[in-house]
Amino acid sequence: TNICYSLDLSYKVSNNVELFLHSDYLKIDGKTDYTKEDTSFTLIPAELGFRYLLGKKKFKAYFGAGGGFYSYKDEHPGLETLNESQIGFFGEGGIRYLFSGSLFIDLKLKYILLKSKTEDENGDTIDLGGLAYMVGIGFSF
């Protein structure tokens, strides 16, 4: 399991709708499957979307969708470093528990659609997206 650092800024458009800007920093260091060489992968997205919130009490469920600009870097010693950017899309759903005041806990599931084509003769597609689950602490002001 790898830790992803996130920042989520939102603006309340109406009582139940938020416009948000979201970014992450994810870095994974590991070894290649066959040769066991060191490898490093870094992903930094910039996402823009809308969220619809349900509920008016301490628990607020929500769902949202949007698009993003995803920058990623794949480094293998002895091989060319891949440094690319792609446009992708996402959908999310979650629940917030509001404490007294402006503090809340956020539990979220997010599915990201992000594919990249390789530059070799096969033109294979690499799926960089997928399902992510997140837990966070937020502050509203």
Short mmCIF file of all heavy atoms in Angstrom, two decimals, residues 5 9 15 19 23 32 39 45-46 49 51-53 67 76 94 104 109 115-116 119 130:
data_model
loop_
_atom_site.label_atom_id
_atom_site.label_comp_id
_atom_site.label_asym_id
_atom_site.label_seq_id
_atom_site.Cartn_x
_atom_site.Cartn_y
_atom_site.Cartn_z
N TYR A 5 -0.60 11.76 -1.27
CA TYR A 5 -0.86 13.05 -0.63
C TYR A 5 -1.77 13.86 -1.56
O TYR A 5 -1.52 13.94 -2.75
CB TYR A 5 0.44 13.79 -0.37
CG TYR A 5 1.35 12.99 0.53
CD1 TYR A 5 2.34 12.18 -0.01
CD2 TYR A 5 1.20 13.02 1.91
CE1 TYR A 5 3.16 11.42 0.81
CE2 TYR A 5 2.01 12.26 2.73
CZ TYR A 5 2.99 11.47 2.17
OH TYR A 5 3.80 10.71 2.99
N LEU A 9 -9.64 21.48 -3.22
CA LEU A 9 -10.24 22.80 -2.96
C LEU A 9 -11.60 22.83 -3.65
O LEU A 9 -11.70 22.47 -4.83
CB LEU A 9 -9.35 23.91 -3.52
CG LEU A 9 -7.94 23.98 -2.97
CD1 LEU A 9 -7.12 24.99 -3.75
CD2 LEU A 9 -7.95 24.32 -1.50
N ASN A 15 -26.53 24.84 -2.52
CA ASN A 15 -26.57 24.05 -1.28
C ASN A 15 -26.03 22.64 -1.46
O ASN A 15 -25.45 22.08 -0.55
CB ASN A 15 -28.00 23.99 -0.74
CG ASN A 15 -28.35 25.23 0.04
OD1 ASN A 15 -27.47 25.98 0.45
ND2 ASN A 15 -29.63 25.46 0.22
N LEU A 19 -18.09 22.78 -6.99
CA LEU A 19 -17.10 22.77 -8.06
C LEU A 19 -15.77 22.56 -7.35
O LEU A 19 -15.49 23.22 -6.36
CB LEU A 19 -17.10 24.10 -8.82
CG LEU A 19 -15.97 24.32 -9.82
CD1 LEU A 19 -16.11 23.36 -11.00
CD2 LEU A 19 -15.98 25.76 -10.31
N SER A 23 -5.74 17.68 -6.63
CA SER A 23 -4.43 17.21 -7.06
C SER A 23 -3.89 16.22 -6.05
O SER A 23 -4.27 16.24 -4.87
CB SER A 23 -3.45 18.38 -7.22
OG SER A 23 -2.25 17.90 -7.79
N THR A 32 11.38 -4.33 -10.71
CA THR A 32 10.73 -4.92 -11.89
C THR A 32 10.45 -6.40 -11.61
O THR A 32 11.13 -7.03 -10.80
CB THR A 32 11.61 -4.77 -13.14
OG1 THR A 32 12.86 -5.40 -12.90
CG2 THR A 32 11.82 -3.30 -13.49
N THR A 39 12.88 0.46 -9.77
CA THR A 39 11.99 1.24 -10.63
C THR A 39 11.24 2.25 -9.78
O THR A 39 11.05 2.04 -8.57
CB THR A 39 11.01 0.32 -11.42
OG1 THR A 39 10.22 1.12 -12.29
CG2 THR A 39 10.12 -0.46 -10.49
N PRO A 45 -1.80 14.36 -10.77
CA PRO A 45 -2.92 14.84 -11.57
C PRO A 45 -3.37 16.24 -11.17
O PRO A 45 -3.11 16.69 -10.05
CB PRO A 45 -4.03 13.84 -11.23
CG PRO A 45 -3.75 13.48 -9.80
CD PRO A 45 -2.24 13.53 -9.65
N ALA A 46 -4.04 16.90 -12.09
CA ALA A 46 -4.76 18.14 -11.81
C ALA A 46 -6.17 17.90 -12.33
O ALA A 46 -6.38 17.79 -13.54
CB ALA A 46 -4.13 19.33 -12.51
N GLY A 49 -13.81 19.08 -11.38
CA GLY A 49 -15.08 18.37 -11.46
C GLY A 49 -16.16 19.00 -10.62
O GLY A 49 -15.97 20.03 -9.97
N ARG A 51 -19.33 17.98 -7.72
CA ARG A 51 -19.81 17.02 -6.73
C ARG A 51 -21.23 17.39 -6.33
O ARG A 51 -21.53 18.57 -6.13
CB ARG A 51 -18.94 17.13 -5.48
CG ARG A 51 -18.18 15.93 -5.15
CD ARG A 51 -17.42 16.12 -3.84
NE ARG A 51 -16.03 15.83 -4.11
CZ ARG A 51 -15.02 16.63 -3.88
NH1 ARG A 51 -15.21 17.80 -3.34
NH2 ARG A 51 -13.81 16.27 -4.18
N TYR A 52 -22.07 16.38 -6.21
CA TYR A 52 -23.44 16.59 -5.72
C TYR A 52 -23.53 15.95 -4.34
O TYR A 52 -23.27 14.76 -4.17
CB TYR A 52 -24.45 15.97 -6.68
CG TYR A 52 -25.87 16.27 -6.29
CD1 TYR A 52 -26.42 17.52 -6.56
CD2 TYR A 52 -26.65 15.33 -5.64
CE1 TYR A 52 -27.72 17.82 -6.19
CE2 TYR A 52 -27.95 15.62 -5.26
CZ TYR A 52 -28.48 16.86 -5.54
OH TYR A 52 -29.77 17.16 -5.17
N LEU A 53 -23.89 16.76 -3.32
CA LEU A 53 -23.96 16.29 -1.94
C LEU A 53 -25.41 16.01 -1.55
O LEU A 53 -26.31 16.78 -1.86
CB LEU A 53 -23.37 17.35 -1.00
CG LEU A 53 -21.90 17.59 -1.22
CD1 LEU A 53 -21.65 19.01 -1.64
CD2 LEU A 53 -21.13 17.25 0.03
N GLY A 67 -12.85 15.69 -15.21
CA GLY A 67 -11.72 15.33 -16.05
C GLY A 67 -10.44 15.83 -15.44
O GLY A 67 -10.45 16.66 -14.53
N HIS A 76 13.44 3.75 -14.89
CA HIS A 76 14.15 2.48 -14.74
C HIS A 76 15.62 2.75 -15.02
O HIS A 76 15.95 3.23 -16.10
CB HIS A 76 13.66 1.44 -15.76
CG HIS A 76 12.22 1.10 -15.64
ND1 HIS A 76 11.75 0.19 -14.73
CD2 HIS A 76 11.14 1.55 -16.32
CE1 HIS A 76 10.44 0.09 -14.86
NE2 HIS A 76 10.04 0.91 -15.81
N GLY A 94 -18.70 9.04 -2.26
CA GLY A 94 -18.17 8.92 -0.91
C GLY A 94 -19.14 9.41 0.14
O GLY A 94 -20.31 9.70 -0.14
N PHE A 104 -14.09 17.59 9.16
CA PHE A 104 -14.81 16.40 8.70
C PHE A 104 -13.86 15.30 8.28
O PHE A 104 -12.69 15.54 7.98
CB PHE A 104 -15.78 16.74 7.55
CG PHE A 104 -15.14 17.25 6.30
CD1 PHE A 104 -14.71 16.39 5.30
CD2 PHE A 104 -14.99 18.62 6.09
CE1 PHE A 104 -14.13 16.87 4.14
CE2 PHE A 104 -14.43 19.11 4.92
CZ PHE A 104 -13.99 18.22 3.95
N LEU A 109 -14.49 6.49 -2.82
CA LEU A 109 -14.10 5.55 -3.88
C LEU A 109 -14.06 6.35 -5.17
O LEU A 109 -14.97 7.13 -5.45
CB LEU A 109 -15.12 4.43 -4.03
CG LEU A 109 -15.06 3.31 -3.01
CD1 LEU A 109 -16.21 2.33 -3.25
CD2 LEU A 109 -13.74 2.59 -3.04
N LYS A 115 -5.69 5.88 -20.03
CA LYS A 115 -4.95 4.91 -20.83
C LYS A 115 -3.83 5.61 -21.59
O LYS A 115 -3.95 6.76 -21.97
CB LYS A 115 -5.89 4.22 -21.81
CG LYS A 115 -7.02 3.49 -21.10
CD LYS A 115 -7.57 2.39 -21.93
CE LYS A 115 -8.77 1.75 -21.29
NZ LYS A 115 -8.53 0.83 -20.25
N SER A 116 -2.74 4.89 -21.80
CA SER A 116 -1.59 5.42 -22.53
C SER A 116 -1.16 4.39 -23.56
O SER A 116 -1.10 3.20 -23.28
CB SER A 116 -0.45 5.69 -21.55
OG SER A 116 0.69 6.13 -22.24
N GLU A 119 4.98 3.33 -27.40
CA GLU A 119 5.57 3.77 -28.66
C GLU A 119 6.28 2.66 -29.40
O GLU A 119 7.00 2.90 -30.35
CB GLU A 119 6.53 4.93 -28.39
CG GLU A 119 5.80 6.16 -27.88
CD GLU A 119 6.73 7.34 -27.67
OE1 GLU A 119 7.91 7.26 -28.06
OE2 GLU A 119 6.27 8.33 -27.10
N GLY A 130 -7.97 3.13 -12.86
CA GLY A 130 -8.50 2.05 -12.03
C GLY A 130 -9.19 2.60 -10.80
O GLY A 130 -9.47 3.80 -10.69
#
